[in-house]
Amino acid sequence: MANAKTTSHGTSADQAHDHHHYEPGFWSKYIFSTDHKVIGIQYGITALVFLLFGFILMLLMRQQLAKPNQPIPVIGPILEKVLGTDMVNSGVMQADLYNAFGAMHGTIMVFLAIVPLAFGAFGNFVTPLQIGAPDMAFPRLNMASYWFYFLGGVVMLSSFFIPGGAAKSGWTSYSPLASIADMAHWVDGQTLWLIGMVLLISSSLLGAVNFITTIIQLRARGMSWMRLPFFVWAQLVTGFLLLLAFPPLEAAGIMQLVDNLFGTSFFLPTGLVVNGSQLPVSGGGSPLLWQHLFWFLGHPEVYVLILPAMGIVCEIIANNTRKPIWGYRSLVYSVLCVGFLSFIVWAHHMYLTGMGTKISTFFQTTTMMISIPSVIILTALFISLWGGSIRMNTPMLFALAFLPMFGIGGLTGLPLGLNATDIYLHDSYYVIGHFHYVVAPGTIFGLFAGIYYWFPKATGRFMNETLGKIHFWGSLLFMNLVFAPMFIQGMKGMSRRMYDGGATYAGNASVLGLNTFISHAAIGLAVFQIPFIINFFMSIRSGKKISSDNPWEATTLEWSTPTPPPHGNFIKEPVVYRGPYEYSVPGAAKDFSPQDQQA
Amino acid sequence: MEIPYTVKPRPDTGLYNAKVGIWLFLASEVILFGALFSAYILLRVGALDGVWPNIKNAWPHGLLNIPIGTFNTAVLITSSVTVVFAWAALKMNNFARFRICMVITIVCALGFLCIKSFEYNEKFTHYELRLKSGKAYTGHIEVNGKHPGFWDFGSIYNLARLETDKVEKVKFTADPPKAKPGEKHDESTPKHEVMEVATSDIAHLDAFIPRNHTFFAIYFLITALHGFHVLGGALVLAWFTFPGSKMWLTEPERFINRIEVGGLFWHFVDLVWIFLFPILYLL
Amino acid sequence: MNWIKILGLPELASEHGKALDELTGYVHLLMLILFIGWVGYFIMVLLKFNRKSNPKADYVGVKSHLNTYLEVGVAVVEGVLLIGFAIPLWAKAVDYFPTAADNPIEVHIMAQQFAWNAHFAGPDGKWGKQDIQFAAATNPFGLDPNDADAKDDVVCLKEEFLVPVNRHVICKIGSMDVIHCFKLPAMRVTQDAVPGLSIPVHFKPTITNTYEIYCAQLCGNLHSGMKGSFKVVSQSEYDTWYAAKSKAGGGAGFE
Amino acid sequence: MSHSTQHAAQHGHDDVASHLPTYWKVFWALIAGTVITVALYSIHFESVAITIAIAMFVASIKAFLVAGYFMHLLSEKKMIYGILAATVFFLIGLMALTIWGSYDQPNHTERKTLYVP
Ligand code: HEA
Ligand code: HEA
Ligand code: CUA
Ligand SMILES: [Cu+2]
């Protein structure tokens, strides 16, 4: 089957008719579909829109940082009309709006853009194909998972338009601030944030159950654990992270919701005084409890952001070096190790909430330990390049750039992980720089690579290479120009979440200029996304047609289905004979030996 | 291709899909309730002294109705055993017995919820009163000749409410002092002290509701969450028992699997209660 | 090495900060070495093994075990930084407190939306009685106006306070509303102000000057403006200020 | 009755029938456990720690019975054990570390009824 000429749509439809005695209508085919590929694409489109939206919020914030308290050109007055003068006054963004945008940028990027794209979209579209399964184990659950996500997104977005505006206490929503930031309104942005989160968490839990079951149960014949593509391993571990790390935040979210709506004090200690009078609550709660429950999710969550990207990068590197991944086993063990350890490092976000020596020693030791498997993964990918015959297509460029970018992000995690150095760096722009290097040029590049790589599978057409390369080089340059200066600002001590960009403090004077620089770079970054958007939509209609079902000459199973794969995916039940990355096998006729190719 | 292993177990794992699915789901539920238990421990251990009347430790324990709780535990245990019997009956090809067992289960579930709502109501009408003089009581109130309660909604009083409603005084029937574990019952105190309290003398007044104390907050939160699980489970089991049981005729093995999976969830709900009961009621 | 310059840190004005800066320097040195090593290798590989220079891929690839040594090396260095530096420095910060023999001065810091307040015991060395019932905008520490010990307490309401140079300062950090973060960049001190807790930090300022207090935790819409400041001055200057302040008394805020 | 019903029935009949007495026993053991816990509570031990320990011990036994017999965990497949082992491990991590984390604080840290430092 592998490398067969494109199976015509006619044939695949005929095949589908064997099982389905009716032709599904528009709604059940594209909107309420239970087909994992359609759901994957729904996830993908929705998440990309949120990604863009999150970026636009940030551009507005960067405008404020570059020119504090000056009217936002053009958009300012519009925002003022839409959001009211509390939020934008004579075109000037108010502090409340800055904070709301900040919280929503973090939330949207993490929970509504990257996770749905990395796990929901790629996981859904690719995983069943790669393991040789006809669909997910629970297709209807899969659909429910998407709609919970969608609903969660709608609730989050609608919070901008209620009185008082969206949640404005950071994506971390620390109590007591989250409970008292908007006391004038009974149902405030924070309330909707929490309801939205509970929906998103439910979505993730359903998704996680489904993915793990699928990977455990629906692997094709011969697809043993050590023959799984690394991407599938990454998805499996990600699934477990979501499954076991999210419930505490769900619990905490419900508790904070009750705090806000019904006056309980889970996270409010006794004797809070706000605006000169005692808060009329019973007290007796613990603000640090929220932080523990939040970060118990929060840290595994960051690996949820990175692992799928690592999986994608691994697939693309193997494919484009035309050689097996070096140290496949060590990759698998490392990713398991990372998954395992990521549950017991969370309090490195809380060093400065008042920690004794013993507990902080525990957490910084585990934090240093978790960096080792990350180093191993990165090293294995680096070493895989050696001896390859590297094809520099757009997916590969993004995958390659992922490595040093993640490297910078990961390395800057070390001084944050050591509590003594974190004393100074905590909550400064250094932290912002650290994690954006991992999630923006890191994860986003991994995801871009995946989009360029699997686009032909989903649509039967390539994306344009020239536009792709423009997109790549522009993004690479401007990502670095945006985030590298943040390390300098952080080192000077500039705090994050500063409405005026830190201008209040004399200590920041020497690095304030960088704010403007970063903001300009962010605009540059935005400009270089335009080729991508054009490319994306144009290629669906008029991209270069693929000439075979396996255009990249890859080995994994998703390439031995018709293009696009019909409902049920495989024409014939696939059987797996070898590992995932058998490229350039000595003595083989071609430089790739697909997993389902006999002998 | 069709999705494999929806009915028959996969040879190498020995499991069918739904079974893996439900156990994964239960794993996340374990962590969910586990997080709430951690919260409970943390809040309780961190409770400050001197906030609750007549109790040295500020955690107002011993306020829940133990006989009712015990009875409810038994109800839930019964429903748990009848679910296994229902499943076993199907395995033994006895559909009639299956249905009887399931009906008992569902009745137990609803019974549990009814009893629980009765308990809730008891708390919503029970008050904590602290006077400016420093005296503190628990008991029942009467405002303008009415006993405010859960059912006539929104009429739970606290000090602020009394003030806005311009209620000048309330009638308060104090509970008889209760023996705490390790204390002797003091026979000399009067059973029910009934008094008229002027609003201006009150330092704090509130029913036994979540906003009054972290204990009630966590008690209501965990039991309500558990209650929703009971309700959800009962609905699913009812579906299997009546409309969904058509599957028994078409795909009996798959139906048995469904009952097994539903049963697993139900046992889990029971299991949570096994820990909840001693923690909330007894300790 | 002058890490302050190399790393672009602000001026250092406390005794313990030197060790922290050095550690920051070493960590960044390690990072730099790794980064340069990897990037060098990376560029070399891309030149050597692209399709043009190497049309046929090698199935096996790298055979040496260099990477294992490298990984073990990274682990060892991390271990050394951890056990040799980070843990002891932390222990010094939170476990070993200046004792009475060190003659420290103690300040209670109270964060509020959006300002910093400071409270000293006054010449009698006794802290005034505090109770929440006295809490008011002008009396954020809730000092009892009838308490004799409170009369001479020094309270700096949302204003600059002074500490003497070269003496240990213990700050007990609290908050009355939300979580703030007491950050003194020049002293290399950071501590969250968590309501319901009073958490101590200590440092020994070495240079006289005025320093800023940052709030480094999002605490509401004026978070970015929540700047405080304190002055490190000579002992005599401090004494004069203290005496004058104390005469005005903790009562200054009671009206 | 369809063909496969009979098949299913043949398969597990004796097997399941032999389990029924066990289920009854477990049921009574659970009831007994409940009664014991309540009874112990009214005895009032000297130390609260003992009361808690005993109550939790009995609850654990009850949980074991429900999970082991009603949920058939005692004869479950390896995969499920693996999933549950990971879950329990992380749960213990969550509980132990949050509680430890809230108590190991810098020297001289104080919890206060009042907000004052
Ligand atoms: C995908 C996301 C992601 C990833 C992977 C990581 C990875 C790591 N993070 Fe990061 N982190 C975040 C996202 C992420 N983080 C976010 C979002 C925050 C802030 C949250 C907030 O407060 O809002 C944060 C904050 C944060 C803090 C808290 C800082 C503070 O608030 O004071 C700490 C402290 O320990 C930390 C540490 C680490 C460590 C040690 C790793 C390690 O796992 C890193 C291991 C990797 C390496 C060590 C790289 C190894 C690579 C090489 C050796 C090769 C190098 C190659 C070249 C350079 C070519 N992170
Ligand atoms: C996954 C997470 C993620 C991602 C990807 C990003 C991406 C970016 N972030 Fe963000 N950020 C956070 C998570 C993330 N961020 C979090 C958690 C915080 C902390 C919030 C808090 O304080 O609570 C934060 C805070 C934060 C700050 C600090 C604000 C402050 O403290 O005051 C800044 C400042 O510059 C910033 C900038 C940026 C920029 C310029 C990008 C850019 O890299 C964006 C790049 C985006 C793109 C390149 C979009 C591409 C999209 C398309 C091409 C769309 C295509 C669409 C279709 C085809 C339909 N972020
Ligand atoms: Cu106070 Cu930020
Ligand atoms: Cu982390």
Side-chain angles (χ1 to χ4, degrees):
Chain A
M1 263 322 297
N3 203 21
K5 288 279 171 245
T6 318
T7 323
S8 78
H9 285 255
T11 346
S12 30
D14 281 351
Q15 290 288 344
H17 270 290
D18 288 351
H19 300 295
H20 297 272
H21 305 286
Y22 65 97
E23 187 61 41
F26 172 81
W27 284 92
S28 54
K29 199 168 167 189
Y30 296 110
I31 307 296
F32 295 107
S33 170
T34 55
D35 183 340
H36 73 98
K37 298 178 292 295
V38 179
I39 297 175
I41 291 168
Q42 287 176 323
Y43 259 117
I45 303 280
T46 321
L48 278 173
V49 171
F50 275 118
L51 186 64
L52 191 58
F53 184 68
F55 190 22
I56 291 171
L57 291 184
M58 184 41 71
L59 287 173
L60 293 169
M61 290 170 72
R62 290 285 355 161
Q63 161 74 27
Q64 158 69 19
L65 292 178
K67 300 199 167 64
N69 302 324
Q70 287 177 32
I72 310 171
V74 190
I75 303 167
I78 305 177
L79 279 179
E80 188 165 347
K81 284 238 168 56
V82 180
L83 301 174
T85 42
D86 287 352
M87 292 294 158
V88 185
N89 202 340
S90 15
V92 180
M93 176 187 284
Q94 303 297 296
D96 270 337
L97 187 63
Y98 181 86
N99 288 348
F101 277 6
M104 294 310 269
H105 164 77
T107 309
I108 286 174
M109 284 302 198
V110 172
F111 297 107
L112 288 161
I114 303 291
V115 174
L117 195 53
F119 189 66
F122 283 108
N124 250 311
F125 191 88
V126 179
T127 311
L129 293 173
Q130 278 199 334
I131 63 174
D135 203 324
M136 295 292 255
F138 311 113
R140 266 182 297 177
L141 220 56
N142 204 11
M143 182 183 80
S145 158
Y146 172 76
W147 285 107
F148 269 118
Y149 158 58
F150 190 83
L151 214 65
V154 170
V155 172
M156 286 280 179
L157 290 188
S158 59
S159 69
F160 278 108
F161 304 106
I162 64 164
K168 45 181 93 56
S169 308
W171 80 293
T172 46
S173 285
Y174 282 1
S175 276
L177 179 61
S179 296
I180 66 178
D182 204 354
M183 278 197 301
H185 305 97
W186 188 55
V187 170
D188 55 14
Q190 189 65 28
T191 314
L192 293 194
W193 188 89
L194 289 163
I195 294 172
M197 282 309 291
V198 169
L199 289 169
L200 292 174
I201 294 170
S202 309
S203 156
S204 291
L205 288 179
L206 293 183
V209 167
N210 211 345
F211 274 79
I212 301 172
T213 310
T214 306
I215 296 172
I216 292 177
Q217 290 287 99
L218 303 192
R219 280 166 294 129
R221 245 187 318 143
M223 183 63 91
S224 60
W225 288 108
M226 283 302 153
R227 282 179 183 168
L228 278 184
F230 182 65
F231 176 76
V232 178
W233 272 111
Q235 290 288 335
L236 181 67
V237 174
T238 308
F240 270 106
L241 296 185
L242 289 174
L243 183 79
L244 300 180
F246 251 136
L249 183 61
E250 184 156 30
I254 296 173
M255 286 193 257
Q256 200 182 68
L257 194 64
V258 183
D259 271 4
N260 292 359
L261 290 180
F262 303 115
T264 57
S265 312
F266 286 110
F267 304 123
L268 308 177
T270 307
L272 290 183
V273 175
V274 180
N275 297 335
S277 64
Q278 205 180 338
L279 207 64
V281 294
S282 66
S286 158
L288 294 187
L289 175 61
W290 166 267
Q291 296 193 16
H292 279 294
L293 296 177
F294 180 88
W295 288 116
F296 185 83
L297 158 88
H299 190 84
E301 178 72 21
V302 307
Y303 287 94
V304 170
L305 299 174
I306 200 74
L307 291 183
M310 283 177 169
I312 293 171
V313 166
C314 181
E315 298 298 304
I316 293 172
I317 285 186
N319 178 251
N320 289 305
T321 53
R322 314 305 295 164
K323 64 180 282 298
I325 283 294
W326 190 90
Y328 170 79
R329 269 171 193 274
S330 62
L331 276 179
V332 171
Y333 294 136
S334 300
V335 80
L336 289 173
C337 220
V338 166
F340 186 78
L341 285 172
S342 69
F343 282 96
I344 47 172
V345 302
W346 78 83
H348 64 212
H349 297 270
M350 300 169 57
Y351 287 142
L352 296 161
T353 55
M355 274 201 184
T357 311
K358 292 191 215 66
I359 184 85
S360 79
T361 299
F362 176 89
F363 278 112
Q364 62 176 331
T365 307
T366 51
T367 302
M368 288 301 116
M369 276 160 68
I370 201 174
S371 68
I372 302 297
S374 308
V375 171
I376 295 179
I377 293 176
L378 225 68
T379 313
L381 293 177
F382 264 123
I383 296 182
S384 299
L385 300 174
W386 186 275
S389 170
I390 301 173
R391 294 194 302 214
M392 294 290 182
N393 46 32
T394 313
M396 185 60 169
L397 287 176
F398 275 109
L400 286 175
F402 171 89
L403 300 174
M405 294 299 106
F406 173 74
I408 297 176
L411 288 174
T412 48
L414 299 181
L416 299 174
L418 295 169
N419 56 11
T421 40
D422 190 48
I423 293 178
Y424 179 70
L425 295 172
H426 175 67
D427 250 322
S428 70
Y429 261 81
Y430 194 93
V431 178
I432 302 282
H434 152 65
F435 73 78
H436 279 90
Y437 258 102
V438 218
V439 294
T443 301
I444 293 192
F445 278 12
L447 298 177
F448 278 145
I451 293 175
Y452 284 101
Y453 183 65
W454 279 301
F455 193 85
K457 185 81 251 172
T459 62
R461 291 168 191 274
F462 287 104
M463 285 176 78
N464 182 298
E465 277 287 306
T466 318
L467 285 175
K469 288 197 169 125
I470 296 175
H471 176 211
F472 170 73
W473 289 110
S475 298
L476 181 65
L477 176 69
F478 283 107
M479 281 283 189
N480 282 288
L481 293 184
V482 169
F483 296 117
M486 292 187 182
F487 293 127
I488 302 174
Q489 295 184 320
M491 276 294 183
K492 258 279 172 280
M494 191 169 126
S495 291
R496 54 194 287 204
R497 296 166 166 173
M498 286 284 155
Y499 165 59
D500 61 358
T504 310
Y505 297 98
N508 295 331
S510 61
V511 292
L512 278 185
L514 289 175
N515 275 340
T516 324
F517 179 82
I518 294 174
S519 299
H520 287 157
I523 293 172
L525 181 59
V527 168
F528 275 96
Q529 303 313 308
I530 296 172
F532 171 73
I533 298 177
I534 294 175
N535 196 352
F536 188 87
F537 288 108
M538 264 187 19
S539 302
I540 295 178
R541 300 221 144 262
S542 53
K544 196 174 99 203
K545 270 216 168 81
I546 54 169
S547 55
S548 107
D549 281 332
N550 188 358
W552 305 113
E553 308 200 304
T555 51
T556 40
L557 285 183
E558 77 268 31
W559 302 104
S560 43
T561 61
T563 310
H567 200 113
N569 295 344
F570 293 86
I571 308 289
K572 192 169 110 263
E573 196 190 317
V575 181
V576 172
Y577 297 100
R578 57 178 62 73
Y581 306 118
E582 294 298 292
Y583 289 99
S584 301
V585 181
K590 291 203 226 61
D591 74 344
F592 65 106
S593 316
Q595 286 192 280
D596 60 344
Q597 190 184 72
Q598 218 162 342
Chain B
M1 271 172 73
E2 289 293 326
I3 298 168
Y5 314 121
T6 47
V7 183
K8 290 260 177 278
R10 179 183 164 106
D12 59 354
T13 58
L15 299 161
Y16 53 90
N17 297 345
K19 189 130 165 204
V20 180
I22 190 73
W23 273 112
L24 288 168
F25 179 68
L26 292 184
S28 86
E29 294 273 283
V30 167
I31 306 260
L32 176 67
F33 280 100
L36 288 168
F37 278 122
S38 320
Y40 174 89
I41 298 173
L42 210 78
L43 292 173
R44 176 163 183 179
V45 179
L48 294 157
D49 289 352
V51 180
W52 193 258
N54 306 327
I55 298 175
K56 269 182 246 113
N57 174 327
W59 197 252
H61 84 314
L63 293 176
L64 302 178
N65 192 327
I66 296 176
I68 287 187
T70 314
F71 180 69
N72 240 353
T73 312
V75 170
L76 218 49
I77 292 175
T78 311
S79 78
S80 207
V81 75
T82 51
V83 158
V84 215
F85 282 138
W87 170 78
L90 277 189
K91 277 269 191 192
M92 294 187 299
N93 210 353
N94 187 341
F95 186 79
R97 186 151 94 203
F98 156 79
R99 217 171 226 180
I100 295 173
C101 289
M102 286 300 260
V103 169
I104 300 178
T105 310
I106 296 160
V107 168
C108 284
L110 297 180
F112 178 87
L113 290 176
C114 286
I115 296 171
K116 200 81 214 133
S117 62
F118 175 76
E119 267 190 273
Y120 272 21
N121 188 39
E122 193 180 299
K123 291 288 154 293
F124 281 117
T125 52
H126 206 160
Y127 279 78
E128 185 209 356
L129 170 70
R130 287 201 295 269
L131 297 179
K132 289 200 173 130
S133 64
K135 284 218 181 78
Y137 308 87
T138 59
H140 295 83
I141 64 167
E142 214 181 294
V143 181
N144 301 332
K146 280 209 286 244
H147 298 274
F150 181 49
W151 299 118
D152 75 277
F153 210 70
S155 79
I156 292 170
Y157 278 88
N158 60 5
L159 183 55
R161 175 86 193 269
L162 288 179
E163 279 163 358
T164 45
D165 284 10
K166 300 215 165 51
V167 179
E168 265 156 30
K169 55 178 190 289
V170 294
K171 201 163 133 200
F172 192 84
T173 315
D175 293 333
K178 209 157 121 214
K180 293 279 151 302
E183 278 175 26
K184 270 266 157 56
H185 212 67
D186 187 359
E187 298 295 342
S188 60
T189 43
K191 282 277 166 207
H192 287 285
E193 196 185 337
V194 182
M195 51 192 154
E196 293 254 299
V197 186
T199 305
S200 54
D201 290 340
I202 299 177
H204 174 87
L205 175 82
D206 212 343
F208 287 6
I209 57 174
R211 68 166 181 231
N212 191 15
H213 194 281
T214 333
F215 167 72
F216 289 118
I218 195 118
Y219 161 75
F220 278 108
L221 187 72
I222 304 191
T223 53
L225 198 65
H226 178 261
F228 277 119
H229 280 75
V230 173
L231 187 65
L235 288 176
V236 171
L237 294 184
W239 170 263
F240 288 161
T241 315
F242 300 106
S245 68
K246 279 195 290 258
M247 187 184 255
W248 172 247
L249 300 175
T250 52
E251 294 175 274
E253 277 184 81
R254 193 159 173 204
F255 187 65
I256 297 180
N257 286 350
R258 284 201 167 171
I259 299 303
E260 188 182 9
V261 165
L264 282 173
F265 178 76
W266 194 253
H267 298 308
F268 174 76
V269 173
D270 184 24
L271 215 143
V272 170
W273 184 257
I274 285 178
F275 285 100
L276 279 186
F277 173 61
I279 288 178
L280 294 174
Y281 286 72
L282 303 179
L283 296 178
Chain C
M1 250 186 276
N2 184 355
W3 289 117
I4 295 179
K5 209 148 187 191
I6 297 172
L7 295 171
L9 298 167
E11 173 200 13
L12 170 69
S14 74
E15 194 183 59
H16 73 282
K18 189 154 188 298
L20 290 189
D21 287 356
E22 272 167 9
L23 179 57
T24 313
Y26 296 146
V27 181
H28 281 83
L29 194 63
L30 168 71
M31 289 155 60
L32 193 72
I33 292 172
L34 285 174
F35 185 74
I36 290 179
W38 280 121
V39 169
Y41 163 88
F42 190 51
I43 293 172
M44 193 259 285
V45 166
L46 292 186
L47 293 178
K48 194 164 163 190
F49 294 106
N50 63 46
R51 184 132 274 203
K52 276 200 214 86
S53 359
N54 191 33
K56 184 123 186 39
D58 171 15
Y59 180 73
V60 181
V62 167
K63 285 177 214 67
S64 90
H65 289 285
L66 204 66
N67 68 295
T68 317
Y69 302 126
L70 187 91
E71 278 151 15
V72 173
V74 173
V76 169
V77 178
E78 281 183 8
V80 170
L81 289 173
L82 184 68
I83 297 166
F85 297 85
I87 297 174
L89 283 175
W90 189 265
K92 208 166 139 197
V94 302
D95 287 349
Y96 304 113
F97 258 72
T99 55
D102 296 321
N103 189 20
I105 61 164
E106 191 172 321
V107 194
H108 292 178
I109 303 287
M110 166 78 78
Q112 73 176 81
Q113 282 176 332
F114 298 91
W116 298 97
N117 304 295
H119 176 200
F120 298 72
D124 65 354
K126 289 192 191 129
W127 298 93
K129 221 191 268 148
Q130 295 169 305
D131 195 308
I132 194 158
Q133 71 185 66
F134 304 115
T138 48
N139 187 8
F141 292 92
L143 283 171
D144 184 344
N146 309 315
D147 183 42
D149 291 340
K151 288 271 188 262
D152 68 336
D153 283 13
V154 173
V155 175
C156 302
L157 287 179
K158 306 184 179 183
E159 61 179 317
E160 194 169 74
F161 62 92
L162 270 60
V163 293
V165 70
N166 288 327
R167 243 176 96 183
H168 286 282
V169 181
I170 299 175
C171 293
K172 293 199 166 172
I173 320 291
S175 165
M176 61 197 256
D177 37 41
V178 303
I179 302 177
H180 303 264
C181 184
F182 180 74
K183 179 167 178 174
L184 313 175
M187 301 295 152
R188 309 292 191 264
V189 162
T190 313
Q191 174 58 54
D192 278 4
V194 183
L197 291 177
S198 147
I199 308 169
V201 289
H202 61 97
F203 58 94
K204 190 172 180 181
T206 51
I207 302 174
T208 55
N209 203 344
T210 308
Y211 297 101
E212 292 179 302
I213 305 172
Y214 285 37
C215 179
Q217 182 65 268
L218 182 62
C219 53
N221 50 11
L222 286 181
H223 160 62
S224 64
M226 188 171 158
K227 181 170 88 161
S229 69
F230 69 102
K231 243 191 202 144
V232 177
V233 295
S234 68
Q235 182 71 41
S236 58
E237 202 176 327
Y238 171 75
D239 290 338
T240 335
W241 172 79
Y242 200 60
K245 255 308 200 191
S246 134
K247 218 172 266 144
F254 291 157
E255 286 87 51
Chain D
M1 197 67 34
S2 78
H3 167 74
S4 44
T5 322
Q6 275 151 17
H7 177 78
Q10 277 165 9
H11 217 69
H13 193 133
D14 298 332
D15 218 34
V16 173
S18 69
H19 284 157
L20 295 186
T22 321
Y23 296 147
W24 275 120
K25 275 183 213 145
V26 171
F27 172 72
W28 289 116
L30 290 172
I31 297 288
T34 311
V35 173
I36 291 175
T37 331
V38 177
L40 282 177
Y41 169 72
S42 49
I43 291 178
H44 305 319
F45 285 96
E46 278 303 302
S47 99
V48 187
I50 297 181
T51 321
I52 294 179
I54 295 182
M56 286 297 98
F57 180 67
V58 177
S60 304
I61 291 180
K62 287 165 71 183
F64 170 78
L65 291 175
V66 171
Y69 293 97
F70 288 176
M71 299 170 94
H72 309 296
L73 251 193
L74 285 175
S75 52
E76 202 39 277
K77 298 292 178 294
K78 270 210 214 89
M79 184 64 71
I80 305 289
Y81 289 152
I83 293 168
L84 291 181
T87 309
V88 169
F89 180 84
F90 295 137
L91 178 64
I92 293 174
L94 170 66
M95 292 187 134
L97 292 174
T98 39
I99 291 163
W100 184 21
S102 313
Y103 286 88
D104 185 21
Q105 290 177 321
N107 265 349
H108 312 294
T109 300
E110 289 168 69
R111 315 171 142 265
K112 293 255 180 142
T113 318
L114 301 181
Y115 61 92
V116 280

